[in-house]
Amino acid sequence: MSTPPDTRTEPVTEVLHGHEHVDPYRWLEADADDPAVADWTERQNEYTNTVLDEDLRAAFTPAFEALTEIPDYGAVTPRGNRYVALDRDTDADRPSLHIRDTPGGEARVLATPDDFEGEASIDWFDVDPSGERVAYGVARGGDEQYDLHIADTKTGEVLVDRGTVGRTSSLMFAWAGEGFYYVATGDPSAGAQMDKEFRHYADGEEIVLATHDDQHVWPRLAYHEPTGTLLASFGEMSGGTRVTAWREDEETFEPLFDGGEASVEVELTDETVFLRTDADAARGRVLTADAATFLAGEEAPETVIAEGEGVIREITTTPNYLVVHAHREAASHLAAYDHDGTHAFDVELPALSTVHSVAGDPDADDCFYVVQSIERPASVVHADLETETTRTVREPALDVAVDLEVERRTITSTDGTDVPMFVAHRADRDPSDAPTVLYAYGGFRINLTPMFSRFRLPFLAAGGVYAQVCARGGSEFGEPWHEAGMRAEKQRTFEDVEAAADHLAESGVTTHDRIGTIGGSNGGLTAGAVLTRDPDRWGAAVCAVPLLDMLRFHRFLLGESWTPEYGHPDTEAEYEWIREYSPYQRIGDRAYPPVLCTTAMGDSRVHSSHARKMTARLQNEAAGGPFCLRTETDTGHGLGKSIDMKVDEELDRWTFLAASLGVSSEDVPDVT
């Protein structure tokens, strides 16, 4: 094995709230195209190539490539007897925009990434109520800076091209008659991607209604055609939502419903407004009001579905039904209600499965959703609510010889709290001292439910175990579960992950030196934190597009918008709890297991300096290892990657983890 590249030190000393911090690698915070950073990054990639087990990677490669033949079917939006989805066919590199005239009919391609120059991807879309037009966003290199296009759904002809409008998504777009509203954001290279403009486009002309520069708040748009009302819901990533209506005569957004610290989402019909919120209901409830009087500010909504056993995740409507998707014990539950809140029936789902993207048809009592589980890929289901029947309209074939057993366990965390964990392994093997990968996230209300990932199958086929723990910081049990793992309580997230690792070892599934921790983004912070809190608990760690220098995260890209979740390092009391776990500052002169950090040059969310600095400090100040960095080009935080990029990325991760945990090339069977 070669030695890591040399990394120069340029110590920067600063005093934060009376504590001195020395940062030897501050120079690695420069942009990726800085010549010194670019040269160092290239040498790190070369070093990582020498560390990765060539024989094991070669053994995994045929299965990984074969698994790309599983197509990706996206959520269906039904509008005007047309059915639109982003699907990736087996021979395609990225998803294309497809339209069908019947739910299970033959697809026509409306737009494909090949229509655009560069490493383009179509990442979102929104269909107008008539089904005659579709808006979609095109990014390049995964930078999440979108060109906004409006196309005819019959011909695919682009009717309107607004050029680059920033981080606009379907949540920040709303159709309005022949025109539309959207939110445009500023140039990230100028540090302005949190600056927002509310724009209205109609009849070939565009005006700016208002600007908004709150660094912590993202708006969601909706439009009510009968009253001509634009709604904007201003919310932090962790809640705190205000629902407002634009009053053109006063040129301001007038408050309609204030969720306080809670989240609020709006669902509109011509006659009725529904609000999904956890205001005064930890697991969520649904409120309703007459649309016209509510939007005029004359009626307060009342509860139509009270808080219940499950945590309400999303709602959608059809002419006669309100469909509610909830999580119970970290798995999905789907039910249909009459508009007055009377329970009609439950929609049957596979055991331990995950539903997402539930979309009702405004013109028929139909809804569509995507369902998946750890052992089965995502399928698209059409539910006929009138007959209470379902049928799968798109289901990818899984021709892989891995029969899995999946179980939901309950572990006990440090403070006595019961925490769910899913464990998967080959059905024909009772795992004992098995190489085990433990995945966690624990933040921003993101729930870890049973999800499919094709590229973990070869590791499982080789005798590995996959586990994912529902650490606090998500909202698997409502907002209290989130609050128990955020801000001053963030250590609870890490304690839950550590308790999961201890359970896996104590129950005989594995030993600590054969457990690898993995996480991405906020989950990369989780992996980095548990690694540096107790390196002896782990046999390996992968920190993907991670936050790791938590004393400076707020200074880059979208970091300031995350301070409601983590706290603000510039505030002394909040700094004190952040510095206790910030992984970059915790690295010491001791042994650590093998660590792989991954990042991307086009990441416009989490700055790649987190992964660079962490790797540099481990390589130069710690024992053990190896400590590796993989930096990808022509991609970003995660969206827009080609299938070939995903194969290379996942081969890196799984080869690194498997080799570190004792898997050899001889252990890898042919699973295709």
Side-chain angles (χ1 to χ4, degrees), residues 488-510:
E489 304 301 322
K490 189 64 186 169
Q491 79 279 358
R492 299 297 186 199
T493 301
F494 314 135
E495 290 171 358
D496 292 351
V497 179
E498 291 163 350
D502 292 346
H503 168 86
L504 291 166
E506 292 165 3
S507 63
V509 170
T510 187

Side-chain angles (χ1 to χ4, degrees), residues 325-326 332-334 347-355 369 371 376:
H325 171 216
S332 285
H333 178 266
L334 201 61
V347 178
E348 185 176 354
L349 298 174
L352 298 183
S353 62
T354 296
V355 163
Y369 56 89
V371 63
R376 60 177 288 192

Side-chain angles (χ1 to χ4, degrees), residues 276-351:
R276 184 206 64 79
T277 182
D278 54 2
D280 302 319
R283 293 174 181 254
R285 59 183 173 137
V286 181
L287 312 178
T288 190
D290 175 79
T293 54
F294 173 80
L295 297 175
E298 299 171 355
E299 180 184 354
E302 297 182 351
T303 299
V304 66
I305 298 178
E307 181 180 10
E309 178 183 351
V311 180
I312 298 177
R313 302 300 299 168
E314 56 184 332
I315 61 174
T316 191
T317 56
T318 70
N320 293 297
Y321 291 98
L322 173 66
V323 182
V324 178
H325 171 216
H327 285 159
R328 295 183 179 178
E329 297 291 332
S332 285
H333 178 266
L334 201 61
Y337 296 79
D338 296 334
H339 282 194
D340 65 3
T342 302
H343 178 266
F345 61 94
D346 292 339
V347 178
E348 185 176 354
L349 298 174

Side-chain angles (χ1 to χ4, degrees), residues 175-200:
W175 294 101
E178 296 302 311
F180 52 88
Y181 294 91
Y182 69 99
V183 179
T185 62
D187 183 357
S189 65
Q193 65 174 329
M194 292 296 290
D195 295 344
K196 310 164 199 76
E197 287 186 346
F198 292 81
R199 300 178 180 176
H200 179 231

Side-chain angles (χ1 to χ4, degrees), residues 235-580:
E236 297 174 353
M237 291 185 69
S238 299
T241 307
R242 284 186 311 117
V243 180
T244 69
W246 174 252
R247 304 305 187 200
E248 188 169 357
D249 54 344
E250 301 175 14
E251 295 187 346
T252 189
F253 289 102
E254 177 185 285
L256 294 177
F257 183 86
D258 191 341
E261 295 300 314
S263 64
V264 186
E265 293 181 3
V266 178
E267 176 80 5
L268 289 169
T269 72
D270 285 353
E271 296 82 20
T272 310
V273 60
F274 294 97
L275 305 175
R276 184 206 64 79
T277 182
D278 54 2
D280 302 319
R283 293 174 181 254
R285 59 183 173 137
V286 181
L287 312 178
T288 190
D290 175 79
T293 54
F294 173 80
L295 297 175
E298 299 171 355
E299 180 184 354
E302 297 182 351
T303 299
V304 66
I305 298 178
E307 181 180 10
E309 178 183 351
V311 180
I312 298 177
R313 302 300 299 168
E314 56 184 332
I315 61 174
T316 191
T317 56
T318 70
N320 293 297
Y321 291 98
L322 173 66
V323 182
V324 178
H325 171 216
H327 285 159
R328 295 183 179 178
E329 297 291 332
S332 285
H333 178 266
L334 201 61
Y337 296 79
D338 296 334
H339 282 194
D340 65 3
T342 302
H343 178 266
F345 61 94
D346 292 339
V347 178
E348 185 176 354
L349 298 174
L352 298 183
S353 62
T354 296
V355 163
H356 66 85
S357 304
V358 183
D361 190 331
D363 302 316
D365 284 321
D366 295 338
C367 81
F368 296 82
Y369 56 89
V370 179
V371 63
Q372 61 185 300
S373 58
I374 287 177
E375 69 273 27
R376 60 177 288 192
S379 300
V380 180
V381 178
H382 167 221
D384 184 327
L385 304 180
E386 187 174 3
T387 62
E388 301 183 16
T389 59
T390 62
R391 66 186 180 102
T392 301
V393 293
R394 282 190 288 290
E395 182 176 21
L398 180 59
D399 189 17
V400 178
V402 188
D403 185 17
L404 298 180
E405 179 177 317
V406 181
E407 59 180 318
R408 179 171 48 200
R409 298 186 178 188
T410 300
I411 62 166
T412 303
S413 193
T414 305
D415 62 351
T417 300
D418 288 341
V419 179
M421 178 170 65
F422 296 95
V423 179
H425 58 84
R426 272 176 51 172
D428 62 349
R429 291 191 184 183
D430 185 13
S432 176
D433 189 22
T436 300
V437 170
L438 176 60
Y439 176 72
Y441 190 83
F444 294 97
R445 301 185 179 193
I446 302 298
N447 290 352
L448 286 195
T449 51
M451 302 280 280
F452 180 77
S453 175
R454 71 190 74 201
F455 295 118
R456 73 169 76 106
L457 293 176
F459 174 76
L460 290 164
V465 173
Y466 171 77
Q468 65 180 40
V469 58
C470 302
R472 281 171 284 185
S475 62
E476 286 86 349
F477 297 98
E479 180 56 17
W481 197 255
H482 171 231
E483 293 176 355
M486 66 182 291
R487 297 177 64 80
E489 304 301 322
K490 189 64 186 169
Q491 79 279 358
R492 299 297 186 199
T493 301
F494 314 135
E495 290 171 358
D496 292 351
V497 179
E498 291 163 350
D502 292 346
H503 168 86
L504 291 166
E506 292 165 3
S507 63
V509 170
T510 187
T511 54
H512 279 292
D513 61 346
R514 302 200 81 186
I515 304 176
T517 179
I518 184 172
S521 195
N522 171 79
L525 164 62
T526 300
V530 298
L531 167 76
T532 53
R533 279 165 59 98
D534 185 2
D536 294 336
R537 260 196 178 94
W538 310 101
V542 171
C543 303
V545 289
L547 290 118
L548 294 166
D549 185 349
M550 295 303 291
L551 300 186
R552 292 178 62 76
F553 78 94
H554 60 301
R555 299 178 181 271
F556 303 101
L557 301 176
L558 301 184
E560 179 65 30
S561 69
W562 305 325
T563 55
E565 177 79 14
Y566 298 122
H568 206 301
D570 291 349
T571 301
E572 184 171 3
E574 299 175 10
Y575 156 84
E576 290 293 342
W577 72 59
I578 293 170
R579 79 180 182 94
E580 286 298 314

Side-chain angles (χ1 to χ4, degrees), residues 617-637:
R617 180 159 256 174
L618 283 167
Q619 289 177 347
N620 290 278
E621 300 180 20
F627 309 119
C628 299
L629 173 68
R630 171 69 77 206
T631 302
E632 299 167 332
T633 59
D634 295 322
T635 188
H637 194 68

Side-chain angles (χ1 to χ4, degrees), residues 13-336:
T13 302
E14 59 184 344
V15 177
L16 299 175
H17 310 294
H19 297 270
E20 183 176 278
H21 295 275
V22 179
D23 188 349
Y25 307 108
R26 186 71 58 86
W27 66 274
L28 287 171
E29 292 180 354
D31 291 339
D33 57 0
D34 176 271
V37 171
D39 175 70
W40 182 87
T41 299
E42 182 178 358
R43 289 186 288 120
Q44 290 289 343
N45 276 342
E46 292 170 354
Y47 170 66
T48 297
N49 290 339
T50 69
V51 170
L52 293 174
D53 186 317
E54 292 183 5
D55 291 339
L56 185 55
R57 187 184 177 101
F60 275 143
T61 297
F64 276 56
E65 292 178 344
L67 288 165
T68 66
E69 295 301 309
I70 302 174
D72 294 307
Y73 294 134
V76 170
T77 297
R79 294 291 184 270
N81 295 317
R82 295 183 178 93
Y83 305 88
V84 186
L86 272 172
D87 296 333
R88 186 191 68 83
D89 295 327
T90 56
D91 58 349
D93 207 28
R94 292 179 173 87
S96 295
L97 197 59
H98 291 81
I99 187 167
R100 293 169 172 85
D101 295 324
T102 62
E106 193 71 24
R108 293 183 285 111
V109 176
L110 285 178
T112 174
D114 294 338
D115 297 336
F116 307 96
E117 295 180 354
E119 291 287 341
S121 61
I122 302 172
D123 294 340
W124 63 267
F125 70 93
D126 195 301
V127 191
D128 86 334
S130 70
E132 295 179 355
R133 295 171 296 162
V134 60
Y136 58 90
V138 179
R140 289 168 180 80
D143 63 4
E144 298 180 70
Q145 303 300 302
Y146 291 105
D147 292 348
L148 174 59
H149 299 277
I150 310 297
D152 185 297
T153 55
K154 291 181 180 178
T155 65
E157 177 189 358
V158 174
L159 306 174
V160 178
D161 180 356
R162 300 308 306 142
T164 303
V165 296
R167 303 193 74 88
T168 296
S169 69
S170 59
L171 298 176
M172 294 191 287
F173 181 95
W175 294 101
E178 296 302 311
F180 52 88
Y181 294 91
Y182 69 99
V183 179
T185 62
D187 183 357
S189 65
Q193 65 174 329
M194 292 296 290
D195 295 344
K196 310 164 199 76
E197 287 186 346
F198 292 81
R199 300 178 180 176
H200 179 231
Y201 180 94
D203 299 325
E205 296 184 2
E206 183 169 276
I207 61 171
V208 176
L209 301 179
T211 60
H212 192 268
D213 61 1
D214 188 327
Q215 298 288 293
H216 307 108
V217 170
W218 290 100
R220 292 186 175 195
L221 300 186
Y223 183 76
H224 189 246
E225 188 76 38
T227 60
T229 305
L230 172 68
L231 279 77
S233 299
F234 294 90
E236 297 174 353
M237 291 185 69
S238 299
T241 307
R242 284 186 311 117
V243 180
T244 69
W246 174 252
R247 304 305 187 200
E248 188 169 357
D249 54 344
E250 301 175 14
E251 295 187 346
T252 189
F253 289 102
E254 177 185 285
L256 294 177
F257 183 86
D258 191 341
E261 295 300 314
S263 64
V264 186
E265 293 181 3
V266 178
E267 176 80 5
L268 289 169
T269 72
D270 285 353
E271 296 82 20
T272 310
V273 60
F274 294 97
L275 305 175
R276 184 206 64 79
T277 182
D278 54 2
D280 302 319
R283 293 174 181 254
R285 59 183 173 137
V286 181
L287 312 178
T288 190
D290 175 79
T293 54
F294 173 80
L295 297 175
E298 299 171 355
E299 180 184 354
E302 297 182 351
T303 299
V304 66
I305 298 178
E307 181 180 10
E309 178 183 351
V311 180
I312 298 177
R313 302 300 299 168
E314 56 184 332
I315 61 174
T316 191
T317 56
T318 70
N320 293 297
Y321 291 98
L322 173 66
V323 182
V324 178
H325 171 216
H327 285 159
R328 295 183 179 178
E329 297 291 332
S332 285
H333 178 266
L334 201 61

